[in-house]
Structure formats: C-alpha cells, structure tokens
Amino acid sequence: MTVSLRRTAAPAGEQARPVARLRTTGACGRFGQHVFVHTNWLSPKGSWYVLAAGSRAVTGLAVTGDVTADADGPTLAVRAPRGAHPRVRARSAAGTHTIDLSAARSGQPGGQE
C-alpha cells in the first residue's frame, strides 16, 4: 500500500509524492478503517506545513510538539517551522485505536496511537 500526497493546484505532469509505503498490511482493506498519515510539506511559496489525513473512520486530528493544532474531520493542514517534529493523533467516532502509517516511511511498522 502506498499513501501519496498530490497538490490540487499542481502543474500538469507533477507526480504525487509517496508519504508512506507498506509491503504487507490490511490497512487498506475493509477492516483497515482506523489509519492516518502525516508529513511535513514545503509549499511552492516557501512555507512549511504539517499535513495529516485519515481514513473514513477518523473524525478528528490533533497535532502537538513544535506546532499545535486540532481539527474536526479527516484532514488537517497547519503552518509549521522547518524541520518540525510533530506528534499527531487521530480520533475515531467509536473511540478505537488509530494506526499511524507515517512510521512506514522509515520501514518501521505503523505504531498504535
């Protein structure tokens, strides 16, 4: 499974950037509805952001650490300093654990949040 970031206003031909990649996982199946991923992103105008997105069961996202933000819904974007090391948590309506797939960037399995 690959999770990629693609800008909606991207120039024609710009490729999506992989944010997480997992070789073997049930995360994208019908039972993998409690996952999220986050990344730092440099905008074309030179500003850094923390971007986070969750699956359909994610009802909110919260960022702490170098930057603090909270959002209802499965997406979040907040301006951040370069090199920020955010801690991102996801909420689900059922209160179930969510799995951060961002750890997969380094080849580590996603950690429970």
Tab-separated table of all heavy atoms in Angstrom, residues 10-51:
chain	number	residue	atom	x	y	z
A	10	ALA	N	-1.456	21.471	-8.584
A	10	ALA	CA	-0.150	21.099	-9.127
A	10	ALA	C	-0.094	21.328	-10.631
A	10	ALA	O	-1.085	21.142	-11.328
A	10	ALA	CB	0.140	19.636	-8.821
A	11	PRO	N	1.076	21.726	-11.129
A	11	PRO	CA	1.236	21.866	-12.574
A	11	PRO	C	1.049	20.511	-13.258
A	11	PRO	O	1.281	19.464	-12.658
A	11	PRO	CB	2.683	22.336	-12.738
A	11	PRO	CG	3.132	22.796	-11.400
A	11	PRO	CD	2.282	22.081	-10.395
A	12	ALA	N	0.655	20.548	-14.503
A	12	ALA	CA	0.458	19.317	-15.273
A	12	ALA	C	1.749	18.500	-15.251
A	12	ALA	O	2.841	19.034	-15.415
A	12	ALA	CB	0.066	19.650	-16.703
A	13	GLY	N	1.618	17.227	-15.005
A	13	GLY	CA	2.767	16.335	-15.009
A	13	GLY	C	3.468	16.182	-13.672
A	13	GLY	O	4.346	15.343	-13.543
A	14	GLU	N	3.111	16.990	-12.670
A	14	GLU	CA	3.751	16.839	-11.359
A	14	GLU	C	3.299	15.533	-10.722
A	14	GLU	O	2.109	15.243	-10.662
A	14	GLU	CB	3.404	18.012	-10.435
A	14	GLU	CG	4.083	17.897	-9.082
A	14	GLU	CD	3.813	19.095	-8.198
A	14	GLU	OE1	4.386	20.170	-8.469
A	14	GLU	OE2	3.027	18.950	-7.252
A	15	GLN	N	4.246	14.745	-10.291
A	15	GLN	CA	3.957	13.440	-9.702
A	15	GLN	C	3.579	13.570	-8.224
A	15	GLN	O	4.044	14.466	-7.528
A	15	GLN	CB	5.183	12.532	-9.819
A	15	GLN	CG	5.590	12.247	-11.246
A	15	GLN	CD	4.524	11.442	-11.971
A	15	GLN	OE1	4.013	10.465	-11.454
A	15	GLN	NE2	4.201	11.862	-13.185
A	16	ALA	N	2.746	12.651	-7.768
A	16	ALA	CA	2.410	12.579	-6.348
A	16	ALA	C	3.642	12.108	-5.587
A	16	ALA	O	4.433	11.313	-6.091
A	16	ALA	CB	1.250	11.620	-6.131
A	17	ARG	N	3.817	12.613	-4.352
A	17	ARG	CA	4.967	12.243	-3.529
A	17	ARG	C	4.552	11.177	-2.525
A	17	ARG	O	3.641	11.403	-1.729
A	17	ARG	CB	5.480	13.470	-2.778
A	17	ARG	CG	6.733	13.179	-1.991
A	17	ARG	CD	7.156	14.388	-1.240
A	17	ARG	NE	6.251	14.548	-0.115
A	17	ARG	CZ	6.561	15.160	1.008
A	17	ARG	NH1	7.723	15.720	1.146
A	17	ARG	NH2	5.702	15.244	1.986
A	18	PRO	N	5.206	10.006	-2.520
A	18	PRO	CA	4.869	8.988	-1.526
A	18	PRO	C	5.160	9.486	-0.113
A	18	PRO	O	6.197	10.076	0.147
A	18	PRO	CB	5.796	7.822	-1.872
A	18	PRO	CG	6.186	8.049	-3.292
A	18	PRO	CD	6.208	9.545	-3.469
A	19	VAL	N	4.204	9.273	0.789
A	19	VAL	CA	4.338	9.677	2.184
A	19	VAL	C	4.559	8.446	3.059
A	19	VAL	O	5.275	8.495	4.046
A	19	VAL	CB	3.082	10.456	2.643
A	19	VAL	CG1	3.160	10.801	4.103
A	19	VAL	CG2	2.909	11.706	1.802
A	20	ALA	N	3.948	7.333	2.706
A	20	ALA	CA	4.124	6.077	3.439
A	20	ALA	C	3.971	4.929	2.460
A	20	ALA	O	3.203	4.999	1.511
A	20	ALA	CB	3.091	5.967	4.553
A	21	ARG	N	4.723	3.870	2.715
A	21	ARG	CA	4.648	2.692	1.862
A	21	ARG	C	4.768	1.460	2.748
A	21	ARG	O	5.699	1.352	3.529
A	21	ARG	CB	5.773	2.725	0.840
A	21	ARG	CG	5.691	1.626	-0.185
A	21	ARG	CD	6.721	1.806	-1.286
A	21	ARG	NE	6.221	2.816	-2.225
A	21	ARG	CZ	6.947	3.815	-2.704
A	21	ARG	NH1	8.185	3.968	-2.356
A	21	ARG	NH2	6.425	4.679	-3.540
A	22	LEU	N	3.805	0.550	2.632
A	22	LEU	CA	3.818	-0.688	3.407
A	22	LEU	C	3.753	-1.866	2.458
A	22	LEU	O	2.983	-1.852	1.503
A	22	LEU	CB	2.610	-0.728	4.358
A	22	LEU	CG	2.668	0.338	5.435
A	22	LEU	CD1	1.361	1.087	5.491
A	22	LEU	CD2	2.972	-0.301	6.749
A	23	ARG	N	4.530	-2.891	2.728
A	23	ARG	CA	4.547	-4.072	1.858
A	23	ARG	C	3.370	-4.997	2.149
A	23	ARG	O	2.675	-5.407	1.260
A	23	ARG	CB	5.851	-4.834	2.035
A	23	ARG	CG	7.046	-4.084	1.525
A	23	ARG	CD	8.290	-4.957	1.651
A	23	ARG	NE	9.487	-4.194	1.438
A	23	ARG	CZ	10.037	-3.982	0.262
A	23	ARG	NH1	9.480	-4.471	-0.811
A	23	ARG	NH2	11.132	-3.278	0.141
A	24	THR	N	3.161	-5.339	3.400
A	24	THR	CA	2.094	-6.258	3.756
A	24	THR	C	1.251	-5.618	4.843
A	24	THR	O	1.757	-5.319	5.915
A	24	THR	CB	2.669	-7.582	4.299
A	24	THR	OG1	3.570	-8.101	3.335
A	24	THR	CG2	1.575	-8.573	4.576
A	25	THR	N	0.005	-5.367	4.538
A	25	THR	CA	-0.863	-4.741	5.527
A	25	THR	C	-2.321	-4.960	5.160
A	25	THR	O	-2.654	-5.104	4.000
A	25	THR	CB	-0.581	-3.232	5.636
A	25	THR	OG1	-1.449	-2.680	6.609
A	25	THR	CG2	-0.808	-2.512	4.328
A	26	GLY	N	-3.154	-4.967	6.173
A	26	GLY	CA	-4.597	-4.985	5.965
A	26	GLY	C	-5.157	-3.587	6.079
A	26	GLY	O	-6.364	-3.389	6.116
A	27	ALA	N	-4.272	-2.580	6.146
A	27	ALA	CA	-4.697	-1.207	6.384
A	27	ALA	C	-5.621	-0.665	5.316
A	27	ALA	O	-6.455	0.185	5.590
A	27	ALA	CB	-3.478	-0.295	6.535
A	28	CYS	N	-5.480	-1.129	4.091
A	28	CYS	CA	-6.332	-0.585	3.034
A	28	CYS	C	-7.529	-1.484	2.739
A	28	CYS	O	-8.281	-1.213	1.819
A	28	CYS	CB	-5.530	-0.307	1.777
A	28	CYS	SG	-4.785	-1.783	1.070
A	29	GLY	N	-7.716	-2.521	3.510
A	29	GLY	CA	-8.859	-3.399	3.319
A	29	GLY	C	-10.088	-2.890	4.047
A	29	GLY	O	-10.092	-1.818	4.647
A	30	ARG	N	-11.130	-3.671	4.020
A	30	ARG	CA	-12.374	-3.231	4.654
A	30	ARG	C	-12.260	-3.139	6.163
A	30	ARG	O	-13.064	-2.486	6.807
A	30	ARG	CB	-13.528	-4.123	4.242
A	30	ARG	CG	-13.432	-5.536	4.733
A	30	ARG	CD	-14.586	-6.332	4.195
A	30	ARG	NE	-15.379	-6.847	5.271
A	30	ARG	CZ	-16.038	-7.978	5.237
A	30	ARG	NH1	-16.016	-8.700	4.147
A	30	ARG	NH2	-16.724	-8.380	6.251
A	31	PHE	N	-11.243	-3.780	6.754
A	31	PHE	CA	-11.068	-3.706	8.203
A	31	PHE	C	-10.057	-2.627	8.597
A	31	PHE	O	-9.893	-2.342	9.766
A	31	PHE	CB	-10.655	-5.059	8.763
A	31	PHE	CG	-11.694	-6.112	8.519
A	31	PHE	CD1	-11.451	-7.144	7.637
A	31	PHE	CD2	-12.925	-6.046	9.145
A	31	PHE	CE1	-12.411	-8.107	7.384
A	31	PHE	CE2	-13.900	-7.005	8.895
A	31	PHE	CZ	-13.644	-8.043	8.020
A	32	GLY	N	-9.371	-2.036	7.648
A	32	GLY	CA	-8.355	-1.024	7.922
A	32	GLY	C	-8.916	0.378	7.823
A	32	GLY	O	-8.472	1.161	7.013
A	33	GLN	N	-9.904	0.689	8.645
A	33	GLN	CA	-10.565	1.985	8.542
A	33	GLN	C	-10.160	2.956	9.645
A	33	GLN	O	-10.787	3.986	9.818
A	33	GLN	CB	-12.072	1.779	8.558
A	33	GLN	CG	-12.540	0.942	7.396
A	33	GLN	CD	-14.022	0.672	7.447
A	33	GLN	OE1	-14.758	1.271	8.222
A	33	GLN	NE2	-14.475	-0.236	6.614
A	34	HIS	N	-9.115	2.644	10.380
A	34	HIS	CA	-8.699	3.479	11.505
A	34	HIS	C	-7.224	3.841	11.358
A	34	HIS	O	-6.426	3.618	12.252
A	34	HIS	CB	-8.953	2.753	12.825
A	34	HIS	CG	-10.377	2.327	12.982
A	34	HIS	ND1	-10.809	1.082	12.605
A	34	HIS	CD2	-11.451	3.003	13.416
A	34	HIS	CE1	-12.110	0.993	12.834
A	34	HIS	NE2	-12.523	2.155	13.324
A	35	VAL	N	-6.862	4.391	10.202
A	35	VAL	CA	-5.472	4.720	9.923
A	35	VAL	C	-5.343	6.192	9.551
A	35	VAL	O	-6.295	6.827	9.109
A	35	VAL	CB	-4.895	3.845	8.787
A	35	VAL	CG1	-4.898	2.367	9.180
A	35	VAL	CG2	-5.648	4.043	7.492
A	36	PHE	N	-4.128	6.713	9.758
A	36	PHE	CA	-3.839	8.089	9.338
A	36	PHE	C	-2.356	8.192	8.996
A	36	PHE	O	-1.561	7.311	9.323
A	36	PHE	CB	-4.232	9.107	10.416
A	36	PHE	CG	-3.394	9.057	11.664
A	36	PHE	CD1	-2.379	9.967	11.876
A	36	PHE	CD2	-3.633	8.100	12.649
A	36	PHE	CE1	-1.610	9.927	13.023
A	36	PHE	CE2	-2.883	8.057	13.803
A	36	PHE	CZ	-1.864	8.968	13.992
A	37	VAL	N	-2.006	9.271	8.324
A	37	VAL	CA	-0.625	9.527	7.929
A	37	VAL	C	-0.387	11.032	8.013
A	37	VAL	O	-1.315	11.829	7.871
A	37	VAL	CB	-0.346	8.972	6.507
A	37	VAL	CG1	-1.141	9.717	5.467
A	37	VAL	CG2	1.132	8.941	6.188
A	38	HIS	N	0.853	11.413	8.271
A	38	HIS	CA	1.194	12.838	8.290
A	38	HIS	C	2.584	13.040	7.715
A	38	HIS	O	3.391	12.108	7.666
A	38	HIS	CB	1.099	13.418	9.710
A	38	HIS	CG	2.020	12.776	10.696
A	38	HIS	ND1	3.290	13.226	10.918
A	38	HIS	CD2	1.841	11.716	11.504
A	38	HIS	CE1	3.865	12.474	11.834
A	38	HIS	NE2	3.013	11.538	12.209
A	39	THR	N	2.841	14.269	7.271
A	39	THR	CA	4.131	14.605	6.695
A	39	THR	C	4.368	16.099	6.812
A	39	THR	O	3.427	16.880	6.978
A	39	THR	CB	4.199	14.172	5.210
A	39	THR	OG1	5.545	14.292	4.746
A	39	THR	CG2	3.278	15.015	4.339
A	40	ASN	N	5.628	16.504	6.743
A	40	ASN	CA	5.972	17.918	6.609
A	40	ASN	C	6.039	18.208	5.118
A	40	ASN	O	6.513	17.386	4.333
A	40	ASN	CB	7.326	18.210	7.259
A	40	ASN	CG	7.287	18.059	8.762
A	40	ASN	OD1	6.267	17.719	9.344
A	40	ASN	ND2	8.405	18.294	9.405
A	41	TRP	N	5.564	19.382	4.724
A	41	TRP	CA	5.488	19.723	3.306
A	41	TRP	C	5.935	21.162	3.101
A	41	TRP	O	5.528	22.069	3.832
A	41	TRP	CB	4.053	19.531	2.826
A	41	TRP	CG	3.817	19.932	1.411
A	41	TRP	CD1	4.285	19.318	0.285
A	41	TRP	CD2	3.037	21.042	0.952
A	41	TRP	NE1	3.842	19.981	-0.842
A	41	TRP	CE2	3.071	21.046	-0.448
A	41	TRP	CE3	2.302	22.033	1.625
A	41	TRP	CZ2	2.415	21.998	-1.205
A	41	TRP	CZ3	1.655	22.986	0.861
A	41	TRP	CH2	1.710	22.959	-0.547
A	42	LEU	N	6.758	21.391	2.096
A	42	LEU	CA	7.211	22.721	1.716
A	42	LEU	C	6.354	23.216	0.559
A	42	LEU	O	6.336	22.610	-0.515
A	42	LEU	CB	8.684	22.694	1.302
A	42	LEU	CG	9.288	24.012	0.836
A	42	LEU	CD1	9.238	25.070	1.936
A	42	LEU	CD2	10.711	23.792	0.351
A	43	SER	N	5.633	24.313	0.782
A	43	SER	CA	4.759	24.854	-0.266
A	43	SER	C	5.605	25.526	-1.352
A	43	SER	O	6.755	25.893	-1.107
A	43	SER	CB	3.784	25.872	0.331
A	43	SER	OG	4.447	27.098	0.587
A	44	PRO	N	5.042	25.708	-2.536
A	44	PRO	CA	5.770	26.392	-3.605
A	44	PRO	C	6.168	27.821	-3.228
A	44	PRO	O	7.105	28.366	-3.790
A	44	PRO	CB	4.780	26.394	-4.773
A	44	PRO	CG	3.879	25.239	-4.510
A	44	PRO	CD	3.763	25.176	-3.010
A	45	LYS	N	5.475	28.413	-2.248
A	45	LYS	CA	5.808	29.775	-1.809
A	45	LYS	C	6.842	29.797	-0.695
A	45	LYS	O	7.175	30.850	-0.178
A	45	LYS	CB	4.544	30.500	-1.370
A	45	LYS	CG	3.598	30.751	-2.533
A	45	LYS	CD	2.415	31.576	-2.124
A	45	LYS	CE	1.533	31.854	-3.329
A	45	LYS	NZ	0.395	32.694	-2.995
A	46	GLY	N	7.343	28.605	-0.290
A	46	GLY	CA	8.419	28.546	0.683
A	46	GLY	C	7.995	28.381	2.132
A	46	GLY	O	8.838	28.451	3.017
A	47	SER	N	6.735	28.158	2.401
A	47	SER	CA	6.254	27.947	3.767
A	47	SER	C	6.141	26.455	4.060
A	47	SER	O	5.724	25.677	3.198
A	47	SER	CB	4.869	28.584	3.956
A	47	SER	OG	4.942	29.980	3.768
A	48	TRP	N	6.500	26.075	5.285
A	48	TRP	CA	6.400	24.680	5.705
A	48	TRP	C	5.066	24.434	6.392
A	48	TRP	O	4.553	25.302	7.096
A	48	TRP	CB	7.535	24.319	6.660
A	48	TRP	CG	8.821	24.106	5.939
A	48	TRP	CD1	9.795	25.037	5.711
A	48	TRP	CD2	9.268	22.899	5.325
A	48	TRP	NE1	10.817	24.478	4.983
A	48	TRP	CE2	10.521	23.168	4.744
A	48	TRP	CE3	8.722	21.624	5.213
A	48	TRP	CZ2	11.242	22.193	4.062
A	48	TRP	CZ3	9.442	20.653	4.537
A	48	TRP	CH2	10.687	20.945	3.973
A	49	TYR	N	4.536	23.235	6.204
A	49	TYR	CA	3.265	22.826	6.811
A	49	TYR	C	3.376	21.395	7.334
A	49	TYR	O	4.166	20.604	6.818
A	49	TYR	CB	2.128	22.845	5.771
A	49	TYR	CG	1.740	24.228	5.337
A	49	TYR	CD1	2.436	24.883	4.329
A	49	TYR	CD2	0.673	24.882	5.942
A	49	TYR	CE1	2.082	26.161	3.931
A	49	TYR	CE2	0.310	26.162	5.539
A	49	TYR	CZ	1.022	26.796	4.540
A	49	TYR	OH	0.664	28.063	4.144
A	50	VAL	N	2.558	21.078	8.322
A	50	VAL	CA	2.302	19.695	8.702
A	50	VAL	C	0.956	19.351	8.083
A	50	VAL	O	-0.028	20.070	8.295
A	50	VAL	CB	2.245	19.503	10.233
A	50	VAL	CG1	1.760	18.100	10.582
A	50	VAL	CG2	3.606	19.768	10.850
A	51	LEU	N	0.924	18.297	7.281
A	51	LEU	CA	-0.306	17.818	6.654
A	51	LEU	C	-0.633	16.462	7.251
A	51	LEU	O	0.255	15.627	7.431
A	51	LEU	CB	-0.121	17.668	5.151
A	51	LEU	CG	0.358	18.889	4.375
A	51	LEU	CD1	0.513	18.532	2.902
A	51	LEU	CD2	-0.593	20.051	4.554
